[in-house]
Amino acid sequence: MKPASFDYIRPGSRAEILAALAAHGDDGKILAGGQSLVAAMNFRLARPEVLIDINGTKDLDYLQPSGDSLAIGALTRHAAFHKPVVDGPLGPLLAKVVRNIAHYPIRQRGTFTGSLAHADPASEWCLVATTLDAEMLIVNAEGERRCRAGDFFKGTFTTAVGAQDLLAEVRLPLLDDGWRSGFYEFSRRAGDFALAMSLAALKLENGRITEARLGVGGVADRAIRLHALENELAGKAPSRELFEDVAASAKAAIKPSEDIHASADYRRDLIRTVVLRALTEAAA
Amino acid sequence: MSWIGRSLPRLEDPSLLMGRGRYVADLARGAASVKFVRSPVAAGRILSIDVPDGELVFTAADLDGVKPICPILHRPDYIAVEQPILAKDRVMFCGQALAVVVAEDQGLAEDLAEEVYADIDAEDAIVDMEAALAEGAVAVHAHAPGNVLVEGVLRSPGLDAAFADAAEIVTLDLRSGRQSAMPLEGRGGVAQYDRISGRVTLYASVQMPHMLRTGLADVLQIPEADLRVVAPDVGGGFGQKMSLFPEYVALVWLARKLERDVAWIEDRRENFLASSHSRDQSFHVRGAFAKDGTLLGIDADLKSNVGAFSCYPVTCGVEPLMALAELPGPYKVPEYGVRSRGVTTNTGMMAPYRGVSRPMLTLTMERMMDVAARRLGIDPIEIRRRNLIDSFPHRSPTGLVYDEGSYKEAMDRAVAAIDLTGFRARQKEARAAGRYLGIGFSVFSERTGYGTPAYAARGMNIVPGYEIVSCAMDPSGFVEARIGSSPHGQGLKTALAQLIADELGVEPGKIKVFSGDTDATPYGWGTFASRSMVIAGGACKLAAGKVATRLRSVAAVMMQASEDHIVLEDGLARVTGTNQSLPIPEVARAAYHQSHRFPQSGPGLIENATYDPGGTFSNACHACIVEVDIETGGVKIERFIVAEDAGLLINPMIVDGQIHGGVAQGIANALFEELIYDETGNLLTVSLADYLPPTMAEVPTIEIEHLETVSDATITKAKGVGEGGAIGAPAAIINAMVDALSPFGIEIVRMPATPQYIRKLIREAERDAHG
């Protein structure tokens, strides 16, 4: 349970990080919170030759509302979201979700963007980014590019971030006061990986849903945004019947993954349940 | 003033709580690191093992003169199997050690281990018991065709008549998933070589240091005197640390071979793969009931998957034979038929885990009672009342003798504490609101503190049971007790100090209990099978009583009084009915330094005593309320009540702690933990991300009520209480879940009852309901 030997460098600035990535990116790995990477290294499932520790670059730890989005830096820890970080419905939504991420000590070290770059299918933040259509800022020594969540996640542990890239910032759209959200996760024990989870955000005006965001995580190789069902919700009054229909459609639409804790049949049952409960909470 | 019965804070705790405990890994500094190279396949022939040149790498070929581990049971139905220290010719399970490497630190040892390549001609593995028992199945051990290593059969003459007369026959097919005892600290050892004497001291995280020394000496063919085994602070054992494992043999061999100190500290993955497993059992049981609910007979076919080898010293008979002997539990079973088999497979070795078979036995009898009650239209509490044993001594159909207990009383206490009537009303309301609450009960006996006759009856070649205690008061009036038991987290030293304090009239803080060092303690059997309070406690009481006699004799001479008039209390030797007294330290000093004055008692205050009891039965009733989320299959335990009778409580707080920990492991058994092999014999659950012990969030507050039935079975009046929590909890939880799901008519037949399993049962029930 000791990692294979590696070199360790600790750049002091964003420029130094990018230089280190350019020099070692193919054999290197960024260390942010390390909550997944270090365990994988101890199992020797990950064997980076060079560990590029970005924890010395303090200006990557920020939360900045700007325009119509919230910018999250590459070193912002999960624990930063324990209390609402921004006015409006987004802050409480993130505070609700963060409580489901592992355990308190892990939330003190693990980072928001680190979760996205790691792209575990059961990551709560990947579900949030996918459902709310986050925008990612990817930088390298050559320049920078932006990409939306729908193009960012490529599969289990796979994203648009290349070997020499740094996921420098993630922007989540701010939600205006008409939005309400619901989140439901089922896991074996408190803090375990989700066997299934759903995030629902509904914009309600005069008793009708004018806009909807609906996503499911932990059930496939990446979080899934259910565009078609969002359209089905739009324009209708929230009701148990409507939510039952949408939950049944979600169950039918997704081909779930299987593991020792959840067969495909069981995950299908859970998809219905988590979607129904997230929608119900959002409309409550 | 008596120290017995007080919740004295544990004398062990200050150092442990301040991080000053000394565990094996704390003793590894300066030693070379050892890493075992383990088989990636479950079955196959070893064609070759390539090792890097010039490094310290050893395989079976290097272990000249080292014998395999081969425990013996003297039963005609037992087939002994040999476990080599490093795999030789064949591999038998995934994780078996193929080679051992030594390097300067742990990381380098792991690097070196990666350079060892074993060419194994993999064969199909036998993983589950059905495959092992199938007609024409490949023999896991060539000399054991049929794959049964031990088989016990009993059949009382009236069994067929009982079933012929039955008004109702209940048939149950129950399954328990494989579990790990999962001590917080894994296995580990530091073997130190002494260049002057040639002796090796092995510090090891074990429950049975003396037995380990005997086993090591036998296998290595060296005198026991050349070995010292020390169990330092041990972070839990639960049965997993009472066997002789090949790793310890290799460590001592390496220290002698290399003439240097070597350390092996197991990691969690290795613990799951290569340490022992338990509870992989499958029971087919029929119960015959009369119309009034009287149990007429039990007919049982019990199977335990014992894995690839037989654990030393208790053997692979431990689960199957415990199952055979104790299925009737707390119930009157007039006629009993049983066949119990230990089935060998290409999986990790079975060894004892807290409760040994009894979690499944209790689940069986308690499901039996609930199912029979439902079918016969009798209240589930009432049917238990009609069948529980109530006159003592009670002799079970397998010849076990139960001393006085409180089986019905404990059940009544639990029923009252959980407010059964109030709950039924609440349950009804909740169901109307779409919520599924259930209540479950579990009544059981816990056989504890049994001595040599019980183990001899099992046919064991090595017969454990007695304890020898050496107790001395030193010239300063402090007491040193040296015990062969080997506590590893239980707080035994505190409880023993309370017992000794009452005998000698000194406070527990002046009593030092030494354990776990073969150079410093009498030969003994360690701590397992809920025995230490009863047996080491009994021996302590006897030895301290003999020291007290000496003290009184010396004090009598010093105060010119009769021995019969001397009492020892509050640190004084007093002459009753007078105001004459001497401080005990003054008497103690005189006993050593003025011994010429006491020709009758002779010098010093040193005594040995031995205790070897027949055994005693604790009993309890667990009751719990659960809520099942029928959409997720998840379960929340709302209340958990234990009405426990462990005889006289020496330290009630320590007893409560034993129950708390046991119940947590019972919850694990019922709902969470399972070691899962795939069909090739590859273990899928090798980290705590997949093997799921319950956390603080999943374990509810445990409410405990004590009954204290005193019997003559033990001289301390205490009964053992180490395993009851783990034994009783699973049945209470499963019964409560079945009760919660009764609108669906679901029968839960396997543990752990995971969310996906519960959802599957509900899905199938709904499908059936809709045709």
Side-chain angles (χ1 to χ4, degrees):
Chain A
M1 221 47 105
K2 300 283 183 239
S5 66
F6 56 88
D7 288 331
Y8 171 87
I9 51 178
R10 189 176 168 95
S13 68
R14 185 164 137 159
E16 284 177 33
I17 295 170
L18 298 182
L21 280 167
H24 307 291
D26 291 338
D27 308 314
K29 198 83 188 158
I30 290 175
L31 174 70
Q35 297 302 292
S36 299
L37 175 61
V38 173
M41 288 172 66
N42 286 343
F43 274 106
R44 299 196 170 199
L45 296 171
R47 293 169 175 258
E49 285 181 21
V50 184
L51 213 50
I52 303 165
D53 180 356
I54 64 170
N55 286 280
T57 315
K58 297 295 176 208
D59 58 1
L60 296 178
D61 181 0
Y62 61 86
L63 280 161
Q64 189 63 52
S66 65
D68 56 358
S69 65
L70 170 69
I72 301 164
L75 264 185
T76 305
R77 315 283 169 181
H78 303 315
F81 299 91
H82 279 156
K83 289 183 183 147
V85 294
V86 65
D87 291 339
L90 182 64
L93 182 158
L94 297 174
K96 183 158 54 189
V97 171
V98 75
R99 298 275 162 191
N100 291 271
I101 299 174
H103 303 280
Y104 185 85
I106 291 172
R107 296 198 291 268
Q108 305 304 314
R109 288 209 65 84
T111 63
F112 182 96
T113 58
S115 279
L116 267 50
H118 182 57
D120 189 299
S123 152
E124 286 82 0
W125 290 143
C126 292
L127 172 63
V128 169
T130 299
T131 307
L132 300 183
D133 196 20
E135 184 184 70
M136 322 294 184
L137 174 67
I138 300 168
V139 300
N140 59 31
E142 308 290 311
E144 60 178 59
R145 63 189 191 275
R146 289 176 188 277
C147 111
R148 308 299 295 201
D151 301 318
F152 179 81
F153 296 107
K154 306 289 188 191
T156 304
F157 306 137
T158 315
T159 69
V161 178
Q164 298 180 352
D165 296 338
L166 171 72
L167 176 57
E169 183 181 287
V170 177
R171 285 168 179 257
L172 290 174
L174 295 174
L175 302 172
D176 67 41
D177 287 342
W179 285 93
R180 318 263 287 273
S181 70
F183 176 79
Y184 192 84
E185 170 172 329
F186 186 75
S187 59
R188 289 290 306 275
R189 301 171 305 180
D192 276 347
F193 287 111
L195 297 187
M197 61 186 157
S198 177
L199 175 65
L202 302 175
K203 189 170 186 182
L204 292 165
E205 274 174 36
N206 303 323
R208 290 201 171 271
I209 300 166
T210 56
E211 247 184 289
R213 303 273 183 277
L214 183 62
V216 179
V219 301
D221 72 342
R222 69 197 87 171
I224 297 166
R225 185 169 165 198
L226 299 160
H227 291 279
L229 299 178
E230 291 174 358
N231 293 337
E232 204 173 310
L233 288 159
K236 301 203 176 83
S239 71
R240 172 85 192 178
E241 205 177 20
L242 173 66
F243 294 163
E244 289 268 14
D245 285 348
V246 168
S249 302
K251 175 179 175 174
I254 296 168
K255 186 176 183 299
S257 52
E258 290 193 85
D259 56 50
I260 57 171
H261 300 300
S263 66
D265 278 345
Y266 178 54
R267 272 221 166 78
R268 269 189 280 272
D269 287 352
L270 285 180
I271 290 167
R272 177 196 162 270
T273 299
V274 298
V275 167
L276 181 60
R277 290 181 183 184
L279 284 168
T280 305
E281 183 186 300
Chain B
M1 185 189 66
S2 174
W3 289 97
I4 290 175
R6 294 163 68 171
S7 287
L8 196 67
R10 305 195 321 167
L11 304 173
E12 295 90 337
D13 284 342
S15 72
L16 297 179
L17 294 176
M18 289 189 289
R20 291 175 188 164
R22 288 207 314 166
Y23 297 87
V24 163
D26 296 318
L27 304 166
R29 188 162 298 172
S33 288
V34 168
K35 173 81 182 166
F36 291 91
V37 180
R38 299 189 178 279
S39 175
V41 301
R45 210 156 46 85
I46 301 169
L47 303 177
S48 64
I49 299 178
D50 290 344
V51 303
D53 290 337
E55 302 281 358
L56 296 174
V57 181
F58 305 94
T59 66
D62 300 303
L63 299 178
D64 271 349
V66 180
K67 296 199 299 184
I69 298 168
C70 186
I72 302 292
L73 267 188
H74 295 293
R75 293 175 60 98
D77 53 60
Y78 177 77
I79 301 175
V81 293
E82 295 184 341
Q83 179 180 19
I85 305 312
L86 297 171
K88 199 176 172 186
D89 307 326
R90 300 189 60 77
V91 292
M92 303 294 283
F93 73 99
C94 186
Q96 187 178 1
L98 297 167
V100 59
V101 309
V102 184
E104 290 314 305
D105 68 37
Q106 186 80 38
L108 292 172
E110 293 187 27
D111 289 349
L112 183 54
E114 288 182 341
E115 292 178 45
V116 178
Y117 175 73
D119 188 6
I120 300 171
D121 182 16
E123 297 165 2
D124 289 344
I126 303 276
V127 181
D128 68 57
M129 289 188 281
E130 298 316 314
L133 295 172
E135 192 75 25
V138 172
V140 171
H141 295 274
H143 68 295
N147 293 318
V148 174
L149 296 185
V150 60
E151 174 166 5
V153 179
L154 282 177
R155 199 164 179 87
S156 67
L159 186 67
D160 291 337
F163 276 84
D165 293 344
E168 187 66 52
I169 293 172
V170 175
T171 302
L172 296 172
D173 282 287
L174 298 170
R175 187 82 179 80
S176 167
R178 177 178 291 232
Q179 286 191 277
S180 168
M182 219 203 83
L184 200 56
E185 180 200 26
R187 299 176 301 163
V190 179
Q192 295 179 344
Y193 181 78
D194 183 67
R195 283 168 180 268
I196 296 168
S197 65
R199 278 185 108 209
V200 171
T201 297
L202 176 68
Y203 293 91
S205 186
V206 295
Q207 296 171 234
M208 274 187 156
H210 289 278
M211 187 69 253
L212 179 59
R213 185 171 80 148
T214 296
L216 288 168
D218 284 354
V219 169
L220 290 162
Q221 305 190 69
I222 59 174
E224 289 206 35
D226 281 355
L227 267 174
R228 173 186 172 206
V229 174
V230 181
D233 283 326
V234 172
F238 312 112
Q240 200 189 77
K241 294 179 179 170
M242 59 183 277
S243 298
L244 169 62
F245 286 100
E247 288 86 350
Y248 294 124
V249 179
L251 274 184
V252 174
W253 183 85
L254 284 169
R256 290 165 58 92
K257 167 93 179 167
L258 304 175
E259 299 193 352
R260 62 175 297 188
D261 300 352
V262 292
W264 165 66
I265 307 299
E266 184 177 63
D267 60 42
R268 186 58 60 190
R269 179 172 182 275
E270 192 173 27
N271 183 265
F272 282 131
L273 271 175
S275 190
S276 57
H277 299 165
S278 309
R279 309 233 203 288
D280 187 348
Q281 295 182 306
S282 178
F283 288 7
H284 173 76
V285 183
R286 294 161 66 233
F289 288 84
K291 206 171 164 43
D292 68 355
T294 306
L295 180 57
L296 303 173
I298 292 280
D299 192 3
D301 183 7
L302 313 175
K303 290 177 284 193
S304 304
N305 187 339
V306 302
F309 295 110
S310 186
C311 55
Y312 176 106
V314 296
T315 79
C316 65
V318 66
E319 278 190 355
L321 298 179
M322 178 80 83
L324 175 142
E326 300 202 18
L327 177 59
Y331 294 103
K332 290 174 270 190
V333 178
E335 301 295 340
Y336 182 47
V338 58
R339 177 190 196 196
S340 189
R341 286 173 282 178
V343 181
T344 185
T345 59
N346 295 115
T347 61
M349 177 180 78
M350 178 274 289
Y353 170 25
R354 194 180 204 172
V356 181
S357 282
R358 287 160 296 175
M360 265 291 271
L361 300 178
T362 303
L363 177 73
T364 304
M365 293 308 287
E366 294 305 292
R367 284 305 308 138
M368 186 76 77
M369 289 297 151
D370 273 9
V371 173
R374 192 179 69 224
R375 295 220 196 130
L376 292 164
I378 303 171
D379 177 79
I381 298 299
E382 181 54 30
I383 198 169
R384 286 175 170 82
R385 199 186 315 282
R386 288 179 194 171
N387 287 296
L388 283 169
I389 58 177
D390 53 5
S391 70
F392 305 98
H394 167 81
R395 194 177 174 83
S396 84
T398 56
L400 303 179
V401 177
Y402 292 55
D403 54 332
E404 287 81 355
S406 56
Y407 296 86
K408 292 180 179 175
E409 296 83 349
M411 182 173 73
D412 290 339
R413 284 279 283 273
V415 167
I418 208 160
D419 182 18
L420 178 55
T421 318
F423 171 77
R424 287 295 179 205
R426 198 153 67 80
Q427 181 182 39
K428 210 170 161 187
E429 282 170 34
R431 264 185 206 160
R435 291 174 56 205
Y436 292 80
L437 306 186
I439 196 165
F441 294 88
S442 162
V443 184
F444 63 95
S445 53
E446 180 188 0
R447 185 186 184 200
T448 71
Y450 35 106
T452 52
Y455 292 98
R458 222 183 257 179
M460 286 176 68
N461 189 45
I462 295 165
V463 181
Y466 58 82
E467 280 300 327
I468 304 168
V469 166
S470 172
C471 183
M473 181 175 282
D474 69 23
S476 69
F478 276 59
V479 180
E480 296 174 10
R482 299 168 190 282
I483 64 172
S485 272
S486 196
H488 42 278
Q490 293 89 345
L492 181 68
K493 291 182 179 183
T494 303
L496 294 181
Q498 288 176 260
L499 268 179
I500 295 168
D502 274 8
E503 294 296 319
L504 290 170
V506 300
E507 59 190 73
K510 290 188 168 178
I511 297 163
K512 310 290 174 194
V513 179
F514 298 94
S515 70
D517 181 344
T518 58
D519 272 8
T521 61
Y523 200 93
W525 297 100
T527 290
F528 66 100
S530 305
R531 67 189 299 274
S532 289
M533 190 65 247
V534 173
I535 308 182
C540 275
K541 184 179 163 79
L542 292 173
K546 288 163 82 173
V547 173
T549 301
R550 283 184 166 273
L551 256 183
R552 276 195 294 268
S553 169
V554 172
V557 173
M558 291 173 80
M559 293 187 281
Q560 296 177 322
S562 155
E563 264 180 61
D564 301 340
H565 294 154
I566 305 288
V567 290
L568 305 171
E569 59 188 12
D570 301 335
L572 297 172
R574 282 204 184 96
V575 184
T576 49
T578 73
N579 57 4
Q580 215 186 343
S581 71
L582 280 173
I584 286 175
E586 218 170 285
V587 182
R589 188 164 287 269
Y592 285 92
H593 298 172
Q594 300 287 316
S595 63
H596 60 282
R597 294 168 58 196
F598 317 112
Q600 264 195 315
S601 49
L605 297 168
I606 304 169
E607 289 285 359
N608 285 349
T610 300
Y611 188 48
D612 186 12
T616 177
F617 280 82
S618 294
N619 66 272
C621 177
H622 290 194
C624 77
I625 294 174
V626 303
E627 177 166 3
V628 181
D629 180 338
I630 62 158
E631 293 185 328
T632 62
V635 180
K636 187 171 162 46
I637 302 172
E638 192 186 277
R639 277 188 84 187
F640 202 104
I641 288 164
V642 176
E644 175 77 42
D645 191 340
L648 180 67
L649 304 182
I650 308 298
N651 183 318
M653 180 189 69
I654 289 175
V655 172
D656 287 355
Q658 285 287 336
I659 295 168
H660 292 157
V663 168
Q665 285 176 313
I667 291 170
N669 197 172
L671 299 174
F672 291 102
E673 296 181 16
E674 186 173 11
L675 291 165
I676 301 172
Y677 282 98
D678 70 12
E679 67 281 1
T680 69
N682 180 40
L683 188 64
L684 301 176
T685 47
V686 291
S687 82
L688 292 171
D690 284 318
Y691 187 84
L692 308 178
T695 72
M696 290 292 285
E698 287 78 36
V699 178
T701 299
I702 297 158
E703 305 163 55
I704 301 173
E705 307 235 343
H706 289 292
L707 297 89
E708 293 189 65
T709 303
V710 172
S711 85
D712 292 331
T714 75
I715 57 170
T716 57
K717 311 296 179 199
K719 298 178 171 189
V721 70
E723 298 168 274
I727 291 169
I733 294 165
I734 299 295
N735 277 349
M737 291 170 71
V738 174
D739 183 52
L741 296 171
S742 58
F744 295 92
I746 281 169
E747 185 62 30
I748 294 172
V749 298
R750 80 178 305 280
M751 299 192 293
T754 61
Q756 69 171 330
Y757 169 67
I758 294 302
R759 250 323 287 173
K760 178 166 173 280
L761 294 178
I762 294 171
R763 200 162 51 229
E764 287 166 359
E766 286 175 335
R767 197 172 297 153
D768 292 347
H770 297 124

